[in-house]
Coordinates of all heavy atoms in Angstrom, one line a residue:
M1 N -6.0 -5.7 -14.3 CA -5.0 -5.0 -13.6 C -3.7 -5.0 -14.4 O -2.7 -4.5 -14.0 CB -4.8 -5.5 -12.2 CG -5.9 -5.2 -11.2 SD -5.6 -5.3 -9.5 CE -4.8 -6.9 -9.3
E2 N -3.8 -5.6 -15.6 CA -2.6 -5.7 -16.4 C -2.3 -4.3 -17.0 O -3.1 -3.5 -17.1 CB -2.8 -6.7 -17.5 CG -3.0 -8.1 -17.1 CD -3.2 -9.0 -18.2 OE1 -3.0 -8.7 -19.4 OE2 -3.7 -10.1 -18.0
N3 N -1.0 -4.2 -17.3 CA -0.5 -2.9 -17.9 C -0.8 -1.7 -17.0 O -0.9 -0.6 -17.6 CB -1.0 -2.7 -19.3 CG -0.7 -3.9 -20.2 OD1 0.4 -4.5 -20.1 ND2 -1.7 -4.3 -21.0
R4 N -0.8 -1.9 -15.8 CA -1.0 -0.8 -14.9 C 0.0 -0.8 -13.8 O 0.3 -1.8 -13.2 CB -2.4 -0.9 -14.3 CG -2.7 -0.1 -13.1 CD -3.6 1.1 -13.5 NE -3.7 2.1 -12.4 CZ -4.8 2.4 -11.8 NH1 -5.9 1.9 -12.0 NH2 -4.7 3.4 -10.9
I5 N 0.5 0.4 -13.4 CA 1.4 0.5 -12.3 C 0.7 1.2 -11.2 O 0.3 2.4 -11.4 CB 2.7 1.2 -12.7 CG1 3.5 0.4 -13.7 CG2 3.6 1.4 -11.4 CD1 4.7 1.1 -14.3
F6 N 0.4 0.6 -10.1 CA -0.3 1.2 -9.0 C 0.7 2.0 -8.1 O 1.8 1.6 -7.9 CB -1.0 0.1 -8.1 CG -2.1 -0.6 -8.8 CD1 -1.9 -1.8 -9.4 CD2 -3.3 0.0 -8.8 CE1 -2.9 -2.5 -10.1 CE2 -4.4 -0.7 -9.5 CZ -4.1 -1.9 -10.1
K7 N 0.2 3.1 -7.7 CA 1.0 4.0 -6.8 C 0.5 3.8 -5.4 O -0.7 4.0 -5.1 CB 0.9 5.5 -7.2 CG 1.5 5.7 -8.6 CD 1.5 7.2 -8.9 CE 2.4 8.0 -8.1 NZ 3.8 7.9 -8.0
I8 N 1.4 3.3 -4.5 CA 1.1 2.9 -3.2 C 2.0 3.7 -2.2 O 3.2 3.8 -2.4 CB 1.3 1.4 -2.9 CG1 0.4 0.6 -3.8 CG2 1.0 1.1 -1.4 CD1 0.6 -0.9 -3.8
A9 N 1.4 4.3 -1.2 CA 2.1 5.0 -0.1 C 2.3 4.0 1.0 O 1.3 3.4 1.5 CB 1.3 6.2 0.4
S10 N 3.5 3.7 1.4 CA 3.8 2.9 2.6 C 4.1 3.8 3.8 O 5.1 4.6 3.7 CB 5.1 2.0 2.3 OG 5.4 1.3 3.4
V11 N 3.2 3.8 4.8 CA 3.2 4.8 5.8 C 3.6 4.3 7.1 O 3.1 3.2 7.6 CB 1.8 5.5 5.9 CG1 1.8 6.5 6.9 CG2 1.4 6.1 4.5
C12 N 4.5 5.1 7.8 CA 4.8 4.8 9.3 C 5.1 6.2 9.9 O 5.1 7.2 9.2 CB 5.9 3.8 9.5 SG 7.5 4.4 9.1
G13 N 5.3 6.1 11.2 CA 5.5 7.4 11.9 C 6.6 8.2 11.3 O 6.5 9.4 11.2
S14 N 7.8 7.6 11.1 CA 8.9 8.4 10.6 C 9.1 8.4 9.1 O 9.8 9.2 8.6 CB 10.2 7.9 11.3 OG 10.5 6.6 10.8
G15 N 8.5 7.4 8.5 CA 8.6 7.4 7.0 C 9.9 6.7 6.5 O 10.3 6.9 5.4
Y16 N 10.5 6.0 7.4 CA 11.8 5.4 7.0 C 11.8 3.9 7.2 O 11.5 3.1 6.4 CB 13.0 6.0 7.7 CG 13.1 7.5 7.4 CD1 12.8 8.5 8.3 CD2 13.5 7.9 6.1 CE1 12.8 9.8 8.0 CE2 13.5 9.3 5.7 CZ 13.2 10.2 6.7 OH 13.3 11.5 6.4
A17 N 12.2 3.4 8.4 CA 12.5 2.0 8.7 C 11.3 1.1 8.4 O 11.4 0.2 7.6 CB 13.1 1.8 10.1
T18 N 10.3 1.3 9.2 CA 9.1 0.4 9.0 C 8.5 0.5 7.7 O 8.2 -0.5 7.0 CB 8.1 0.7 10.1 OG1 8.7 0.6 11.4 CG2 6.9 -0.3 10.1
S19 N 8.3 1.7 7.2 CA 7.7 1.8 5.9 C 8.6 1.3 4.8 O 8.1 0.8 3.8 CB 7.3 3.3 5.6 OG 8.4 4.1 5.6
G20 N 9.9 1.4 5.0 CA 10.8 0.8 4.0 C 10.7 -0.7 3.9 O 10.7 -1.3 2.9
W21 N 10.6 -1.4 5.1 CA 10.4 -2.8 5.2 C 9.1 -3.2 4.5 O 9.1 -4.2 3.8 CB 10.5 -3.2 6.6 CG 10.2 -4.7 6.9 CD1 9.1 -5.1 7.6 CD2 10.8 -5.8 6.4 NE1 9.1 -6.5 7.6 CE2 10.1 -7.0 6.9 CE3 12.0 -6.0 5.6 CZ2 10.5 -8.3 6.6 CZ3 12.4 -7.3 5.4 CH2 11.6 -8.4 5.9
I22 N 8.0 -2.5 4.9 CA 6.7 -2.8 4.3 C 6.8 -2.7 2.8 O 6.3 -3.5 2.0 CB 5.6 -1.9 4.9 CG1 5.4 -2.3 6.3 CG2 4.3 -2.0 4.1 CD1 4.5 -1.2 7.1
A23 N 7.4 -1.6 2.3 CA 7.4 -1.3 0.9 C 8.2 -2.5 0.1 O 7.7 -3.0 -0.9 CB 8.1 0.0 0.6
A24 N 9.3 -2.9 0.6 CA 10.1 -3.9 0.0 C 9.4 -5.2 0.0 O 9.3 -5.9 -1.1 CB 11.5 -4.0 0.7
R25 N 8.8 -5.6 1.1 CA 8.2 -6.9 1.2 C 6.9 -6.9 0.3 O 6.6 -7.9 -0.4 CB 7.8 -7.2 2.6 CG 7.2 -8.6 2.8 CD 7.9 -9.3 4.0 NE 7.4 -10.7 4.0 CZ 6.7 -11.2 5.0 NH1 6.3 -10.5 6.0 NH2 6.3 -12.5 4.9
L26 N 6.2 -5.8 0.3 CA 4.9 -5.7 -0.5 C 5.2 -5.7 -2.0 O 4.6 -6.4 -2.7 CB 4.1 -4.5 -0.1 CG 2.8 -4.3 -0.8 CD1 1.9 -5.5 -0.5 CD2 2.2 -3.0 -0.3
K27 N 6.3 -5.0 -2.4 CA 6.6 -4.9 -3.8 C 7.0 -6.3 -4.3 O 6.5 -6.7 -5.4 CB 7.8 -4.0 -4.0 CG 8.1 -3.8 -5.5 CD 9.1 -2.6 -5.6 CE 9.3 -2.3 -7.1 NZ 8.2 -1.6 -7.8
D28 N 7.7 -7.1 -3.5 CA 8.1 -8.4 -3.9 C 6.9 -9.3 -4.0 O 6.7 -10.1 -5.0 CB 9.1 -9.1 -2.9 CG 10.5 -8.4 -3.0 OD1 10.8 -7.7 -4.0 OD2 11.2 -8.7 -2.0
A29 N 6.0 -9.3 -3.0 CA 4.8 -10.1 -3.0 C 3.9 -9.8 -4.2 O 3.3 -10.7 -4.8 CB 4.1 -9.9 -1.7
L30 N 3.7 -8.5 -4.5 CA 2.9 -8.1 -5.6 C 3.5 -8.5 -7.0 O 2.8 -9.0 -7.8 CB 2.6 -6.6 -5.6 CG 1.7 -6.1 -4.5 CD1 1.7 -4.6 -4.5 CD2 0.3 -6.7 -4.6
Q31 N 4.8 -8.4 -7.1 CA 5.5 -8.8 -8.3 C 5.3 -10.3 -8.6 O 5.1 -10.7 -9.7 CB 6.9 -8.4 -8.3 CG 7.2 -7.0 -8.6 CD 8.7 -6.6 -8.6 OE1 9.5 -7.2 -8.0 NE2 9.0 -5.5 -9.3
E32 N 5.4 -11.1 -7.5 CA 5.2 -12.5 -7.6 C 3.8 -12.8 -8.2 O 3.6 -13.9 -8.8 CB 5.4 -13.2 -6.3 CG 6.8 -13.2 -5.8 CD 7.0 -13.7 -4.4 OE1 5.9 -14.2 -3.8 OE2 8.1 -13.7 -3.8
R33 N 2.9 -11.9 -8.0 CA 1.5 -12.2 -8.5 C 1.2 -11.4 -9.8 O 0.1 -11.2 -10.2 CB 0.5 -11.8 -7.4 CG 0.6 -12.8 -6.3 CD 0.2 -12.2 -4.9 NE 0.2 -13.2 -3.9 CZ 1.3 -13.5 -3.2 NH1 2.5 -12.9 -3.5 NH2 1.3 -14.5 -2.3
G34 N 2.3 -10.8 -10.4 CA 2.1 -10.1 -11.7 C 1.5 -8.7 -11.5 O 1.0 -8.2 -12.5
I35 N 1.6 -8.1 -10.4 CA 1.1 -6.8 -10.1 C 2.2 -5.8 -10.0 O 3.1 -6.0 -9.1 CB 0.2 -6.7 -8.9 CG1 -1.0 -7.7 -9.1 CG2 -0.3 -5.3 -8.6 CD1 -1.8 -7.9 -7.9
E36 N 2.3 -4.8 -10.8 CA 3.4 -3.8 -10.7 C 2.9 -2.6 -9.8 O 1.8 -2.1 -9.9 CB 3.7 -3.2 -12.1 CG 4.3 -4.2 -13.0 CD 5.7 -4.6 -12.5 OE1 6.5 -3.8 -12.0 OE2 6.0 -5.8 -12.6
A37 N 3.8 -2.2 -9.0 CA 3.5 -1.1 -8.0 C 4.7 -0.2 -7.8 O 5.9 -0.7 -7.7 CB 3.0 -1.7 -6.7
D38 N 4.5 1.1 -7.8 CA 5.4 2.0 -7.4 C 5.1 2.4 -5.9 O 4.1 3.0 -5.7 CB 5.3 3.3 -8.3 CG 6.3 4.4 -8.0 OD1 7.3 4.1 -7.2 OD2 6.1 5.5 -8.5
I39 N 6.0 2.0 -5.0 CA 5.7 2.1 -3.6 C 6.6 3.2 -3.0 O 7.9 3.0 -3.1 CB 5.8 0.8 -2.8 CG1 4.8 -0.2 -3.5 CG2 5.4 1.0 -1.4 CD1 4.9 -1.6 -2.9
T40 N 6.1 4.2 -2.4 CA 6.9 5.3 -1.8 C 6.7 5.3 -0.3 O 5.5 5.1 0.2 CB 6.4 6.6 -2.4 OG1 6.4 6.6 -3.8 CG2 7.2 7.8 -1.9
E41 N 7.8 5.5 0.4 CA 7.7 5.6 1.9 C 7.3 7.0 2.3 O 7.8 8.0 1.8 CB 9.0 5.2 2.5 CG 9.4 3.8 2.3 CD 10.8 3.6 1.8 OE1 11.7 4.3 2.3 OE2 11.0 2.8 0.9
V42 N 6.3 7.1 3.1 CA 5.7 8.5 3.5 C 5.6 8.5 5.0 O 5.1 7.6 5.6 CB 4.3 8.7 2.8 CG1 3.7 10.0 3.2 CG2 4.4 8.5 1.3
K43 N 5.9 9.7 5.6 CA 5.7 9.9 7.0 C 4.2 10.1 7.2 O 3.5 10.8 6.4 CB 6.4 11.2 7.5 CG 7.9 11.1 7.5 CD 8.4 12.4 8.0 CE 9.9 12.5 7.7 NZ 10.4 13.8 8.0
V44 N 3.6 9.6 8.3 CA 2.2 9.8 8.5 C 1.8 11.3 8.6 O 0.7 11.7 8.1 CB 1.7 9.0 9.8 CG1 2.2 9.6 11.1 CG2 0.2 8.8 9.8
M45 N 2.7 12.1 9.1 CA 2.3 13.5 9.2 C 2.4 14.2 7.9 O 1.8 15.3 7.7 CB 3.3 14.3 10.2 CG 4.7 14.3 9.8 SD 5.8 15.0 11.1 CE 6.2 16.5 10.3
D46 N 3.0 13.7 6.9 CA 3.0 14.2 5.5 C 1.9 13.7 4.6 O 1.7 14.2 3.5 CB 4.4 14.0 4.9 CG 5.5 14.7 5.6 OD1 5.2 15.7 6.3 OD2 6.7 14.3 5.4
L47 N 1.2 12.7 5.0 CA 0.3 11.9 4.2 C -0.8 12.8 3.6 O -1.1 12.7 2.4 CB -0.3 10.8 4.9 CG -1.2 9.8 4.1 CD1 -0.4 9.3 2.9 CD2 -1.7 8.7 5.0
A48 N -1.4 13.7 4.4 CA -2.5 14.5 4.0 C -2.1 15.4 2.8 O -2.9 15.6 1.9 CB -3.1 15.3 5.1
M49 N -0.9 15.8 2.8 CA -0.4 16.7 1.7 C -0.2 15.9 0.3 O -0.3 16.6 -0.7 CB 0.9 17.4 2.1 CG 0.7 18.3 3.3 SD 2.3 19.1 3.6 CE 3.3 17.8 4.3
V50 N 0.0 14.6 0.4 CA 0.4 13.9 -0.8 C -0.6 12.8 -1.2 O -0.4 12.1 -2.2 CB 1.8 13.3 -0.7 CG1 2.8 14.5 -0.6 CG2 1.9 12.3 0.4
V51 N -1.6 12.6 -0.4 CA -2.5 11.4 -0.5 C -3.1 11.3 -1.9 O -3.3 10.2 -2.4 CB -3.6 11.4 0.6 CG1 -4.6 12.5 0.4 CG2 -4.2 10.0 0.7
D52 N -3.4 12.4 -2.5 CA -4.1 12.3 -3.8 C -3.2 11.8 -4.9 O -3.6 11.5 -6.1 CB -4.6 13.7 -4.2 CG -5.8 14.1 -3.4 OD1 -6.5 13.2 -2.8 OD2 -6.0 15.3 -3.2
N53 N -1.9 11.6 -4.6 CA -0.9 11.1 -5.6 C -0.9 9.5 -5.6 O -0.2 8.9 -6.4 CB 0.5 11.5 -5.3 CG 0.7 13.0 -5.4 OD1 0.0 13.7 -6.2 ND2 1.6 13.6 -4.6
Y54 N -1.7 8.9 -4.8 CA -1.7 7.5 -4.6 C -3.0 6.8 -4.9 O -4.0 7.4 -4.7 CB -1.2 7.1 -3.2 CG 0.2 7.6 -2.9 CD1 0.4 8.8 -2.3 CD2 1.3 6.9 -3.4 CE1 1.7 9.3 -2.1 CE2 2.6 7.4 -3.2 CZ 2.8 8.6 -2.6 OH 4.1 9.1 -2.4
D55 N -2.9 5.5 -5.2 CA -4.1 4.7 -5.4 C -4.5 4.0 -4.1 O -5.6 3.6 -3.9 CB -3.8 3.6 -6.4 CG -3.5 4.1 -7.8 OD1 -4.3 5.0 -8.3 OD2 -2.5 3.7 -8.4
L56 N -3.5 3.8 -3.2 CA -3.7 3.0 -2.0 C -2.7 3.4 -0.9 O -1.6 3.7 -1.2 CB -3.5 1.5 -2.3 CG -3.7 0.5 -1.1 CD1 -5.1 0.4 -0.6 CD2 -3.2 -0.9 -1.5
I57 N -3.1 3.4 0.4 CA -2.2 3.6 1.5 C -2.1 2.3 2.2 O -3.1 1.7 2.6 CB -2.8 4.7 2.4 CG1 -3.0 6.0 1.7 CG2 -1.9 4.8 3.7 CD1 -3.9 7.0 2.5
V58 N -0.9 1.9 2.5 CA -0.6 0.7 3.3 C 0.2 1.3 4.5 O 1.2 1.8 4.4 CB 0.2 -0.3 2.6 CG1 0.5 -1.5 3.5 CG2 -0.5 -0.8 1.3
S59 N -0.4 1.1 5.7 CA 0.1 1.7 6.9 C 0.5 0.7 7.9 O -0.1 -0.4 8.1 CB -1.0 2.6 7.5 OG -0.6 3.1 8.8
A60 N 1.6 1.1 8.6 CA 2.1 0.2 9.7 C 1.2 0.0 10.9 O 1.2 -0.9 11.6 CB 3.5 0.7 10.2
S61 N 0.3 1.0 11.0 CA -0.7 1.0 12.1 C -2.0 1.4 11.5 O -2.1 1.9 10.4 CB -0.3 1.9 13.2 OG -0.1 3.2 12.8
E62 N -3.1 1.3 12.4 CA -4.4 1.7 11.9 C -4.4 3.2 11.7 O -3.9 4.0 12.5 CB -5.4 1.4 13.0 CG -5.7 -0.1 13.2 CD -6.4 -0.8 12.0 OE1 -7.2 -0.1 11.3 OE2 -6.1 -2.0 11.8
L63 N -5.0 3.6 10.6 CA -5.3 5.0 10.3 C -6.8 5.3 10.2 O -7.5 4.3 9.8 CB -4.6 5.4 9.0 CG -3.1 5.5 8.9 CD1 -2.7 5.8 7.4 CD2 -2.5 6.5 9.8
S64 N -7.2 6.4 10.5 CA -8.6 6.7 10.3 C -8.9 6.7 8.9 O -8.0 6.9 8.0 CB -9.0 8.1 11.0 OG -8.2 9.1 10.4
D65 N -10.2 6.5 8.5 CA -10.6 6.4 7.1 C -11.0 7.8 6.6 O -12.1 7.9 6.0 CB -11.8 5.4 7.1 CG -11.9 4.8 5.7 OD1 -10.9 4.9 4.9 OD2 -12.9 4.2 5.5
I66 N -10.1 8.8 6.8 CA -10.4 10.1 6.4 C -9.8 10.5 5.0 O -10.1 11.6 4.5 CB -10.0 11.2 7.4 CG1 -8.4 11.1 7.5 CG2 -10.7 11.0 8.7 CD1 -7.8 12.3 8.3
Y67 N -9.1 9.6 4.4 CA -8.4 9.9 3.2 C -9.3 9.5 1.9 O -10.1 8.7 2.0 CB -7.1 9.1 3.2 CG -6.2 9.5 4.3 CD1 -6.1 8.7 5.4 CD2 -5.5 10.7 4.3 CE1 -5.2 9.1 6.5 CE2 -4.7 11.1 5.3 CZ -4.6 10.3 6.4 OH -3.8 10.7 7.5
S68 N -8.9 10.1 0.8 CA -9.6 10.0 -0.4 C -9.3 8.7 -1.1 O -9.9 8.4 -2.2 CB -9.4 11.1 -1.3 OG -8.0 11.3 -1.6
V69 N -8.4 7.9 -0.6 CA -8.0 6.6 -1.2 C -8.1 5.5 -0.1 O -8.0 5.8 1.1 CB -6.6 6.6 -1.8 CG1 -6.5 7.7 -2.9 CG2 -5.5 6.9 -0.7
P70 N -8.2 4.3 -0.5 CA -8.4 3.2 0.5 C -7.1 3.1 1.4 O -6.0 3.3 0.9 CB -8.5 1.9 -0.4 CG -8.8 2.4 -1.8 CD -8.3 3.8 -1.9
V71 N -7.3 2.6 2.6 CA -6.2 2.4 3.5 C -6.3 0.9 4.0 O -7.4 0.4 4.4 CB -6.4 3.3 4.8 CG1 -5.3 3.0 5.8 CG2 -6.4 4.8 4.3
V72 N -5.1 0.3 4.1 CA -5.0 -1.1 4.6 C -3.9 -1.0 5.7 O -2.8 -0.6 5.4 CB -4.7 -2.1 3.5 CG1 -4.4 -3.5 4.2 CG2 -5.7 -2.2 2.5
A73 N -4.2 -1.5 6.9 CA -3.2 -1.6 8.0 C -2.4 -2.9 7.7 O -2.9 -3.9 7.3 CB -3.9 -1.7 9.3
S74 N -1.1 -2.7 7.9 CA -0.2 -3.8 7.4 C 0.7 -4.4 8.4 O 1.8 -4.8 8.1 CB 0.6 -3.2 6.3 OG 1.5 -2.2 6.8
S75 N 0.4 -4.4 9.7 CA 1.3 -5.0 10.7 C 1.7 -6.4 10.3 O 2.7 -6.9 10.7 CB 0.7 -4.9 12.1 OG -0.5 -5.6 12.2
S76 N 0.8 -7.1 9.6 CA 1.1 -8.5 9.3 C 2.2 -8.6 8.3 O 2.9 -9.6 8.2 CB -0.2 -9.2 8.7 OG -0.6 -8.6 7.5
I77 N 2.4 -7.6 7.5 CA 3.5 -7.6 6.6 C 4.9 -7.6 7.4 O 5.8 -8.2 7.0 CB 3.5 -6.4 5.6 CG1 2.2 -6.5 4.7 CG2 4.8 -6.3 4.7 CD1 2.0 -5.3 3.8
I78 N 4.9 -6.9 8.5 CA 6.1 -6.9 9.3 C 6.2 -8.2 10.1 O 7.3 -8.8 10.1 CB 6.0 -5.7 10.3 CG1 5.9 -4.4 9.6 CG2 7.2 -5.7 11.3 CD1 5.3 -3.2 10.4
T79 N 5.1 -8.7 10.7 CA 5.3 -9.9 11.5 C 5.2 -11.2 10.7 O 5.7 -12.2 11.2 CB 4.1 -9.9 12.6 OG1 2.9 -10.1 11.9 CG2 4.1 -8.7 13.4
G80 N 4.6 -11.1 9.6 CA 4.4 -12.4 8.8 C 3.1 -13.1 9.2 O 2.6 -14.0 8.5
I81 N 2.5 -12.8 10.3 CA 1.3 -13.5 10.8 C 0.1 -12.8 10.1 O -0.2 -11.6 10.2 CB 1.2 -13.3 12.4 CG1 2.4 -13.9 13.0 CG2 -0.1 -13.9 12.8 CD1 2.5 -13.6 14.5
G82 N -0.6 -13.6 9.3 CA -1.8 -13.1 8.6 C -1.4 -12.4 7.3 O -2.2 -11.7 6.7
F83 N -0.1 -12.6 6.9 CA 0.4 -11.9 5.7 C -0.5 -12.1 4.5 O -0.9 -11.2 3.7 CB 1.8 -12.3 5.4 CG 2.4 -11.6 4.2 CD1 2.7 -10.3 4.2 CD2 2.6 -12.4 3.1 CE1 3.2 -9.7 3.0 CE2 3.2 -11.8 1.9 CZ 3.4 -10.5 1.9
E84 N -0.8 -13.4 4.2 CA -1.6 -13.7 3.0 C -3.0 -13.0 3.0 O -3.4 -12.6 2.0 CB -1.7 -15.2 2.8 CG -0.4 -15.9 2.4 CD 0.2 -15.4 1.1 OE1 -0.5 -15.1 0.2 OE2 1.4 -15.3 1.1
E85 N -3.6 -13.0 4.2 CA -4.9 -12.3 4.3 C -4.8 -10.8 4.0 O -5.6 -10.3 3.3 CB -5.5 -12.6 5.7 CG -5.9 -14.0 5.9 CD -4.8 -14.9 6.5 OE1 -3.6 -14.4 6.5 OE2 -5.1 -16.0 6.8
T86 N -3.7 -10.2 4.5 CA -3.5 -8.8 4.3 C -3.2 -8.6 2.8 O -3.7 -7.6 2.2 CB -2.4 -8.2 5.2 OG1 -2.8 -8.4 6.5 CG2 -2.1 -6.8 4.9
L87 N -2.4 -9.4 2.2 CA -2.1 -9.3 0.8 C -3.3 -9.4 0.0 O -3.5 -8.7 -1.0 CB -1.0 -10.3 0.4 CG -0.5 -10.2 -0.9 CD1 0.2 -8.8 -1.1 CD2 0.5 -11.3 -1.2
A88 N -4.2 -10.3 0.3 CA -5.5 -10.5 -0.5 C -6.3 -9.2 -0.3 O -6.9 -8.8 -1.3 CB -6.2 -11.7 0.1
K89 N -6.3 -8.6 0.8 CA -7.1 -7.4 1.0 C -6.5 -6.3 0.2 O -7.2 -5.5 -0.5 CB -7.1 -7.0 2.5 CG -7.9 -5.8 2.9 CD -7.7 -5.5 4.3 CE -9.0 -5.5 5.1 NZ -8.9 -5.1 6.5
I90 N -5.2 -6.2 0.2 CA -4.5 -5.1 -0.7 C -4.8 -5.3 -2.1 O -5.2 -4.4 -2.8 CB -3.0 -5.2 -0.4 CG1 -2.7 -4.6 1.0 CG2 -2.2 -4.4 -1.4 CD1 -1.3 -4.8 1.5
I91 N -4.7 -6.6 -2.6 CA -5.0 -6.9 -4.0 C -6.5 -6.6 -4.3 O -6.8 -6.0 -5.4 CB -4.6 -8.3 -4.4 CG1 -3.1 -8.5 -4.3 CG2 -5.2 -8.7 -5.7 CD1 -2.6 -9.9 -4.4
G92 N -7.4 -6.9 -3.4 CA -8.8 -6.5 -3.6 C -9.0 -5.0 -3.7 O -9.8 -4.6 -4.6
K93 N -8.3 -4.2 -2.9 CA -8.4 -2.8 -3.0 C -7.9 -2.3 -4.3 O -8.4 -1.3 -4.9 CB -7.7 -2.1 -1.8 CG -8.3 -2.4 -0.4 CD -9.7 -1.7 -0.3 CE -10.2 -2.0 1.1 NZ -11.5 -1.4 1.3
L94 N -6.7 -2.8 -4.7 CA -6.2 -2.4 -6.0 C -7.1 -2.8 -7.2 O -7.2 -2.0 -8.1 CB -4.8 -3.1 -6.2 CG -3.7 -2.6 -5.3 CD1 -2.4 -3.4 -5.5 CD2 -3.4 -1.1 -5.4
Q95 N -7.8 -3.9 -7.1 CA -8.7 -4.3 -8.1 C -9.9 -3.3 -8.1 O -10.4 -2.9 -9.2 CB -9.3 -5.7 -7.9 CG -10.2 -6.2 -9.0 CD -9.5 -6.3 -10.3 OE1 -8.5 -7.0 -10.4 NE2 -10.0 -5.6 -11.3
E96 N -10.4 -2.8 -7.0 CA -11.4 -1.8 -6.9 C -11.0 -0.5 -7.6 O -11.7 0.1 -8.3 CB -11.8 -1.5 -5.4 CG -12.5 -2.7 -4.8 CD -12.8 -2.4 -3.3 OE1 -12.7 -1.2 -2.8 OE2 -13.1 -3.3 -2.5
V97 N -9.7 -0.1 -7.3 CA -9.2 1.1 -7.9 C -9.1 0.9 -9.4 O -9.5 1.8 -10.2 CB -7.7 1.4 -7.4 CG1 -7.0 2.4 -8.2 CG2 -7.8 1.8 -5.9
A98 N -8.7 -0.2 -9.9 CA -8.6 -0.5 -11.3 C -10.0 -0.5 -12.0 O -10.1 0.1 -13.1 CB -7.9 -1.8 -11.6
D99 N -10.9 -1.0 -11.3 CA -12.3 -1.0 -11.8 C -12.9 0.3 -11.9 O -13.8 0.6 -12.8 CB -13.2 -1.9 -11.0 CG -12.8 -3.4 -11.1 OD1 -12.1 -3.8 -12.0 OD2 -13.3 -4.2 -10.2
R100 N -12.5 1.3 -11.0 CA -13.1 2.6 -11.0 C -12.5 3.5 -12.1 O -13.1 4.5 -12.6 CB -12.8 3.3 -9.7 CG -13.7 2.9 -8.6 CD -13.7 3.9 -7.5 NE -12.3 4.2 -7.0 CZ -11.8 3.7 -5.9 NH1 -12.4 2.9 -5.2 NH2 -10.5 4.1 -5.6
K101 N -11.3 3.2 -12.6 CA -10.7 4.1 -13.6 C -10.7 3.5 -15.0 O -11.0 2.5 -15.3 CB -9.2 4.3 -13.2 CG -9.1 5.1 -11.9 CD -7.7 5.5 -11.5 CE -7.8 6.3 -10.2 NZ -6.5 6.8 -9.8

């Protein structure tokens, strides 16, 4: 996963407050582990139009698995409860993306 910048969509209903918090916390956590990511806040209603621009979707709530990229629900990023498990899942999905390309 070295020398790669992953594109991640941070998704919530409005695309601002919650997704901004998720994006900031996730970016810091990934950087601490040597993983570079470009994280963009996206409104859930706009996601279908832009999903192909991303390697991974991290959502404040459960999303159906209808998208062409992996989706990880991230309420633990907000609450802190189960954060490490969610982060491990996100890193696993990014590794799968890296292995495919």
Side-chain angles (χ1 to χ4, degrees):
M1 291 199 310
E2 293 179 19
N3 302 320
R4 165 105 194 242
I5 299 174
F6 292 96
K7 295 187 61 64
I8 299 173
S10 177
V11 179
C12 73
S14 67
Y16 299 109
T18 304
S19 61
W21 170 246
I22 291 169
R25 185 133 190 245
L26 182 58
K27 186 169 186 72
D28 289 346
L30 290 173
Q31 280 182 336
E32 288 172 7
R33 289 153 181 84
I35 300 170
E36 291 295 318
D38 178 13
I39 305 175
T40 306
E41 294 132 41
V42 178
K43 293 179 194 174
V44 72
M45 63 186 252
D46 295 339
L47 185 58
M49 296 182 290
V50 298
V51 70
D52 291 335
N53 298 330
Y54 297 98
D55 298 309
L56 178 70
I57 299 165
V58 178
S59 173
S61 58
E62 292 291 331
L63 291 178
S64 60
D65 205 13
I66 61 168
Y67 299 101
S68 57
V69 299
V71 177
V72 176
S74 63
S75 61
S76 66
I77 295 173
I78 299 163
T79 66
I81 300 167
F83 177 72
E84 290 301 322
E85 291 86 354
T86 299
L87 188 59
K89 187 184 232 184
I90 289 168
I91 292 169
K93 295 289 185 185
L94 293 175
Q95 185 64 58
E96 289 174 18
V97 168
D99 291 347
R100 280 198 310 258
K101 293 188 178 181

